[in-house]
């Protein structure tokens, strides 16, 4: 993802803010979802395509378009018919990358101020075009969606990672345990620090709420409660386990070894390996041949001890081994024995050599086949490292999206194994265990029963569904993530199979393209609570809907989570800024936001403030003075209003507040020995 050229866009933002016309070029799957996403913002949308789409993936899309032109978006006349001179943004999302770039040039010549959002994976070219054309940003859908799939594969406790100002931030989910230090003791708001922010909370009998801030600040954490949070990863992790003494670690280590080598576990692994498709057939043959050789070896030792006098056990052991390896001539050829060899023993030795030649020969053949397949990838292939045994990610489909997912998961040091139907270049997947062959037949070779997650991202959504359902039947406790391309198909699959996370690439990408069309800089995204959460950067300008607001207003009024605030100086960047911070022109802010929240910011639709604070009395003169200061800071009112209120107690703060803002003010006032409580505004 590339940032647009800030200078040119900032210079023209005041002009563009008056326009709400958008043009989408290319009505494939991505284009249709872009139109739907833009209409959710309340925009006026026109579209251009060379032919009318045969498959309308978005219901009633034709009626959402103000104007639909059949033609080539690279042609000047077609762009003029679409009123390019009145458009705020042009989204160029056809499947032809060259056509998108050419159309971007034509649009820039006709409208020097129009914003260009382009579908392209030419990273270096995109960067150069952004610098030279200005107000230009390019995305590649596969790169956008890879992070959502990768983060979904991390499991329930790790929901997302992204880098910001040289720091790695982690979004996590944690269920409170009875032995946690903060269980029964800490209140929810006490977990918020300068490096951590609570995003969502649910008690043990409810689902995670859809909106940020839907909890009581004074809620005490109980066993079974679930919290979702964001934190700086290299600070003190919320889910960090207490240190274990050395002797305890040592004891646990040997307990793990004993558990690993227990007969029941070995038996289960043998049974699993015995019934694993083509690989299982080879295993069965090798197992039978090996057992037969060992049985013949034991019988040979017994025969020589019984029928040849004065032979020692060691000599019988090695003589039988030589015979099994085809060494009959080495034992009997031209050798004169002190005592005659019984005819039955010589006949048995000949049979032992013939049987050994057959069975050992099969083992040699299987070993040779194994070595060749490891080198050339004909059958079962595991490159560079062994397949993980448990708590790993099974990635099925190593296309562009799959390779991007591998890169992200390897950066996070997640154990994984890839499955692909055809061989791929070794250099593209360093140190990755890889299985090559039929996807359905080979899925069991990846220790899928012990996998943490199964991610299916082939280019065929029906095959993804088939493999996903098969994976769930083999490993019902693993996280299942399925890639789809059609929104209607995705919604139905998600409803019918609620255990699966069904991610539609077109819908995910369209949310980012739509947000970028309004000028937002998207730094990353992840999936949470059936919603796409975007990491969005804003540069505050005159006339912005964010200008002059406190972070409290932005957080609870728009439903976003501010995670970084920065003044004009680069060294002034602060993670998890305090809610009382007030934004001004030139400030930079990074927030976590859903598509709905971004739409509300664009339209300036703040949620109404529905709470008030009733102040009864102050217990000292200092409390009156300090309480007025606290009211002015948290409520954002003038200091004179606050002091007047504190002089005429009891009284009610005339300014309406958001619920958590009112709760925080009351908590602060009570600490200052000012008796107060919050209450809803009477409608």
């Amino acid at each position: 993802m590339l940032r647009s050229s800030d200078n040119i866009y900032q210079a023209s933002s005041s002009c563009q803010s008056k326009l709400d016309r958008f043009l989408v070029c290319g009505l494939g799957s991505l284009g249709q979802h872009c139109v739907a996403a833009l209409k959710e913002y309340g925009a006026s949308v026109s579209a251009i395509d060379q032919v009318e789409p045969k498959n309308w993936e978005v219901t009633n899309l034709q009626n959402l378009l103000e104007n639909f032109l059949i033609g080539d978006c690279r042609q000047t006349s077609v762009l003029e018919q679409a009123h390019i001179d009145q458009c705020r943004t042009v989204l160029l999302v056809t499947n032809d990358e060259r056509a998108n770039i050419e159309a971007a040039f034509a649009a820039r010549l006709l409208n020097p101020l129009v914003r260009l959002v382009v579908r392209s994976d030419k990273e270096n070219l995109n960067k150069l075009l952004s610098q030279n054309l200005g107000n230009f940003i390019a995305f590649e859908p596969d790169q956008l969606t890879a992070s959502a799939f990768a983060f979904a594969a991390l499991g329930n406790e790790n929901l997302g990672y992204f880098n910001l100002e040289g720091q790695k931030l982690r979004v996590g989910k944690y269920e409170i345990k009875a032995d946690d230090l903060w269980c029964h003791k800490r209140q929810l708001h006490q977990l918020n620090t300068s490096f951590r922010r609570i995003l969502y909370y649910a008690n043990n009998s409810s689902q995670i709420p859809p909106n940020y801030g839907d909890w009581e600040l004074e809620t005490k954490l109980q066993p079974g409660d679930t919290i979702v949070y964001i934190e700086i990863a290299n600070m003190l992790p919320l889910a960090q386990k207490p240190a274990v003494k050395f002797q305890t670690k040592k004891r646990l280590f040997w307990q793990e070894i004993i558990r690993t080598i227990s007969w029941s576990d070995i038996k289960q692994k043998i049974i699993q390996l015995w019934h694993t498709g083509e690989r299982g057939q080879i295993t069965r043959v090798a197992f039978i041949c090996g057992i037969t050789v060992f049985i013949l070896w034991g019988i040979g030792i017994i025969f020589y001890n019984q029928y040849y006098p004065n032979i020692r056990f060691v000599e019988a052991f090695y003589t039988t081994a030589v015979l099994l390896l085809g060494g009959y001539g080495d034992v009997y050829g031209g050798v004169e024995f002190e005592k005659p060899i019984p005819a039955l023993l010589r006949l048995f030795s000949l049979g032992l050599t013939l049987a050994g030649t057959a069975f050992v020969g099969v083992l040699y053949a299987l070993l040779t086949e194994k070595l060749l397949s490891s080198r050339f990838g004909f059958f079962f292939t595991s490159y560079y490292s062994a397949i993980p045994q448990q708590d790993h990610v099974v990635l099925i489909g190593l296309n562009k999206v799959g390779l991007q997912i591998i890169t992200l998961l390897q950066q996070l040091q997640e154990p994984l194994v890839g499955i692909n139907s055809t061989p791929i270049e070794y250099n593209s997947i360093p140190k990755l265990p890889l299985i090559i062959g039929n996807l359905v037949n080979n899925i069991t070779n990846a220790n899928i029963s012990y996998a943490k997650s199964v991610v299916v991202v082939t280019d065929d959504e029906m095959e993804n569904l088939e493999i996903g359902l098969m994976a769930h039947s083999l490993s019902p406790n693993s996280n299942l993530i399925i890639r789809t391309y059609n929104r209607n198909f995705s919604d139905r699959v998600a409803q019918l199979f609620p255990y699966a996370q069904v991610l539609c690439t077109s819908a995910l990408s369209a949310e980012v393209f739509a947000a970028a069309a309004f000028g937002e800089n998207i730094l990353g995204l992840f999936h949470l609570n059936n919603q796409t959460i975007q990491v969005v950067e804003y540069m505050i300008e005159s006339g912005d809907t964010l200008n002059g607001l406190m972070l409290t207003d932005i957080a609870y009024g728009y439903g976003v989570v501010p995670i970084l605030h920065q003044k004009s100086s680069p060294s002034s960047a602060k993670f998890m800024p305090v809610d009382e911070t007030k934004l001004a022109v030139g400030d930079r802010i990074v927030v976590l936001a859903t598509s709905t929240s971004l739409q509300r910011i664009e339209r300036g639709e703040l949620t109404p403030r529905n709470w008030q604070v009733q102040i009864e009395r102050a217990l000292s003169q200092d409390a009156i003075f300090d309480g007025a200061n606290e009211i002015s800071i948290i409520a954002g009112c003038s200091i004179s209003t606050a002091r007047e209120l504190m002089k005429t107690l009891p009284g009610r703060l005339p300014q309406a507040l958001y619920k958590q803002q009112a709760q925080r003010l009351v908590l602060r006032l009570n600490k200052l020995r000012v008796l107060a409580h919050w209450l809803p505004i009477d409608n």
Side-chain angles (χ1 to χ4, degrees):
M1 288 177 274
L2 299 174
R3 292 187 60 181
S4 62
S5 176
D6 293 334
N7 294 334
I8 294 180
Y9 181 60
Q10 290 175 7
S12 60
S13 61
S14 60
C15 173
Q16 287 185 316
S17 62
K18 301 176 182 178
L19 304 174
D20 63 352
R21 297 176 64 95
F22 294 79
L23 176 62
V24 177
C25 297
L27 285 183
S29 180
L30 176 59
Q32 292 185 40
H33 284 90
C34 284
V35 172
L38 289 170
K39 292 302 294 184
E40 291 179 357
Y41 282 82
S44 173
V45 186
S46 299
I48 300 174
D49 206 340
Q50 290 186 327
V51 295
E52 184 171 348
K54 296 180 180 179
N55 180 25
W56 294 97
E57 296 185 15
V58 178
T59 305
N60 200 34
L61 185 69
Q62 302 97 313
N63 296 330
L64 298 179
L65 293 171
E66 179 179 318
N67 191 15
F68 177 39
L69 299 175
I70 301 295
D72 191 339
C73 60
R74 293 170 291 185
Q75 299 297 322
T76 300
S77 58
V78 175
L79 291 174
E80 289 176 339
Q81 291 180 50
H83 304 291
I84 184 69
D85 58 318
Q86 301 176 22
C87 288
R88 174 175 176 176
T89 303
V90 178
L91 291 84
L92 302 154
V93 291
T94 74
N95 294 324
D96 187 341
E97 192 173 73
R98 180 184 177 89
N100 292 337
I101 298 297
E102 290 184 17
F105 293 160
R108 173 59 76 238
L109 291 172
L110 292 172
N111 187 344
L113 300 180
V114 72
R115 180 168 176 78
L116 302 173
V117 181
V118 180
R119 177 181 183 176
S120 171
D121 65 353
K122 306 290 186 184
E123 293 187 10
N124 188 51
L125 176 61
N126 295 338
K127 183 176 181 180
L128 294 171
L129 291 176
S130 177
Q131 294 171 353
N132 288 275
L133 290 180
N135 204 7
F136 175 101
I137 191 168
F139 300 101
E140 209 291 313
D142 291 339
Q143 295 176 0
L144 287 177
T145 57
S147 61
F149 285 100
F151 296 151
L154 294 176
N156 291 329
E157 292 191 358
N158 297 292
L159 304 176
Y161 285 87
F162 51 91
N163 293 314
L164 195 61
E165 298 296 309
Q167 296 278 9
K168 179 179 286 187
L169 277 73
R170 182 175 81 97
V171 180
K173 182 179 179 182
Y174 187 69
E175 182 177 331
I176 303 299
K177 308 294 191 303
D179 58 349
D180 286 337
L181 295 177
W182 46 79
C183 187
H184 299 298
K185 299 176 182 177
R186 294 286 189 92
Q187 294 178 346
L188 197 57
H189 71 94
Q190 293 176 321
L191 297 183
N192 287 330
T193 67
S194 59
F195 54 85
R196 182 191 303 125
R197 185 73 76 240
I198 302 300
L199 306 180
Y200 299 94
Y201 163 80
N203 60 37
N204 54 9
S205 62
S206 67
Q207 298 294 322
I208 294 178
N211 299 319
Y212 169 68
D214 284 351
W215 64 80
E216 303 292 334
L217 292 182
E218 294 182 291
T219 300
K220 277 196 174 181
L221 296 170
Q222 305 292 330
D225 290 358
T226 300
I227 55 177
V228 178
Y229 59 94
I230 181 172
E231 66 182 3
I232 300 176
N234 60 355
M235 301 298 286
L236 297 175
L238 178 64
Q240 186 180 42
K241 304 300 181 185
V244 183
K245 294 183 179 180
F246 175 76
Q247 292 296 332
T248 305
K249 287 184 177 180
K250 186 175 181 180
R251 184 172 65 254
L252 292 175
F253 172 78
W254 286 110
Q255 289 176 353
E256 180 67 17
I257 293 295
I258 293 172
R259 188 195 66 79
T260 303
I261 64 175
S262 64
W263 166 245
S264 60
D265 193 44
I266 294 175
K267 181 180 178 181
Q268 184 179 5
K269 290 182 181 296
I270 291 175
I271 294 174
Q272 179 188 0
L273 192 60
W274 188 270
H275 299 90
T276 49
E278 183 179 347
R279 184 186 177 194
Q281 295 176 6
I282 298 173
T283 303
R284 288 192 288 271
V285 172
F287 184 78
I288 293 172
C289 290
I291 291 295
T292 304
V293 169
F294 276 103
I295 292 174
L296 291 174
W297 200 344
I299 295 174
I301 294 172
I302 295 172
F303 260 73
Y304 269 90
N305 271 318
Q306 291 291 328
Y307 293 99
Y308 191 77
N310 301 325
I311 189 171
R312 292 181 300 172
F313 176 82
V314 174
E315 293 174 343
F317 179 87
Y318 286 115
T319 299
T320 306
V322 171
L323 290 171
L324 286 171
L325 295 174
Y328 183 85
D330 297 330
V331 175
Y332 293 102
V335 177
E336 294 184 2
F337 295 91
E338 296 179 359
K339 296 181 180 181
I341 303 297
L344 181 61
L345 185 59
R346 294 189 69 127
L347 181 62
F348 172 75
S349 299
L350 178 61
L352 203 63
T353 298
L354 294 175
T357 301
F359 287 106
V360 174
V362 172
L363 292 175
Y364 279 146
L366 293 176
L367 180 60
T368 302
E369 182 273 331
K370 175 67 175 178
L371 293 174
L372 288 175
S373 64
S374 296
R375 177 64 182 86
F376 298 106
F378 291 146
F379 297 100
F380 175 73
T381 310
S382 178
Y383 301 142
Y384 298 105
S385 58
I387 294 176
Q389 296 300 307
Q390 60 184 3
D391 294 331
H392 57 289
V393 177
V394 178
L395 177 62
I396 303 171
L398 302 184
N399 43 30
K400 282 186 177 181
V401 175
L403 295 178
Q404 289 283 338
I405 295 172
I406 289 172
T407 300
L408 291 170
L409 290 178
Q410 287 185 332
Q411 289 175 356
L412 298 172
Q413 299 180 345
E414 283 289 319
L416 72 155
V417 56
I419 304 178
N420 204 48
S421 57
T422 57
I424 61 176
E425 295 183 6
Y426 300 164
N427 294 335
S428 61
I429 47 169
K431 299 180 181 179
L432 175 73
L434 176 63
I435 298 173
I436 296 296
N438 183 277
L439 300 180
V440 174
N441 293 340
N442 281 313
I443 190 173
T444 52
N445 296 332
N447 294 326
I448 193 170
S449 299
Y450 304 96
K452 175 171 63 177
S453 300
V454 180
V455 185
V456 193
V457 292
T458 74
D459 293 326
D460 185 340
E461 64 182 356
M462 296 303 296
E463 186 176 31
N464 292 345
L465 178 60
E466 176 188 1
I467 297 173
L469 295 178
M470 180 180 176
H472 179 72
S473 65
L474 295 172
S475 182
N477 295 324
S478 299
N479 298 313
L480 177 61
I481 301 98
I482 299 176
R483 180 191 186 194
T484 61
Y485 306 94
N486 185 292
R487 184 62 176 270
N488 293 330
F489 180 76
S490 300
D491 293 341
R492 289 171 182 142
V493 171
Q495 292 174 10
L496 292 172
F497 310 105
Y499 51 79
Q501 295 188 59
V502 186
L503 304 183
C504 177
T505 55
S506 297
L508 286 173
S509 301
E511 291 186 23
V512 177
F513 275 84
F518 286 91
E520 281 80 355
N521 184 28
I522 312 300
L523 304 179
L525 59 85
F526 58 93
H527 206 65
L528 169 65
N529 205 23
N530 296 322
Q531 297 183 97
T532 301
I533 310 297
Q534 302 182 53
V535 185
V536 187
E537 178 189 51
Y538 285 98
M539 300 297 296
I540 308 302
E541 302 173 4
S542 178
D544 281 353
T545 57
L546 302 179
N547 186 26
L549 295 179
M550 292 198 308
L551 293 187
T552 297
D553 302 320
I554 296 172
Y556 305 115
Y558 290 128
V560 303
V561 185
I563 59 175
L564 182 139
H565 173 255
Q566 181 180 0
K567 294 290 186 181
S568 56
S569 172
S571 60
S572 64
K574 294 182 180 179
F575 287 97
M576 316 306 167
V578 296
D579 288 343
E580 291 73 41
T581 303
K582 194 170 186 177
L583 297 182
V585 174
D587 287 3
R588 170 177 172 247
I589 184 175
V590 179
V591 301
L592 304 182
T594 64
S595 178
T596 302
S597 299
L598 296 179
Q599 296 164 24
R600 290 167 58 188
I601 291 175
E602 176 64 24
R603 297 190 291 262
E605 295 178 354
L606 283 166
T607 300
R609 300 170 176 85
N610 293 323
W611 292 79
Q612 286 182 315
V613 171
Q614 174 72 28
I615 304 175
E616 301 299 340
R617 62 193 179 96
L619 301 182
S620 68
Q621 284 299 120
D622 290 340
I624 294 176
F625 179 81
D626 295 336
N629 291 338
E630 205 67 38
I631 292 171
S632 176
I633 293 172
I634 295 179
C637 65
S638 65
I639 188 63
S640 59
T641 301
R643 295 202 185 284
E644 184 65 27
L645 172 63
M646 293 300 295
K647 290 179 181 178
T648 58
L649 297 180
R652 183 173 299 182
L653 182 65
Q655 182 170 329
L657 305 175
Y658 292 107
K659 182 178 181 179
Q660 288 213 10
Q661 185 183 16
Q663 291 178 346
R664 191 169 64 257
L665 177 56
V666 170
L667 288 174
R668 290 293 302 162
L669 289 176
N670 289 340
K671 286 184 178 181
L672 296 173
R673 305 182 67 192
V674 176
L675 302 182
H677 61 273
W678 64 85
L679 65 163
I681 294 178
D682 188 357
N683 291 330

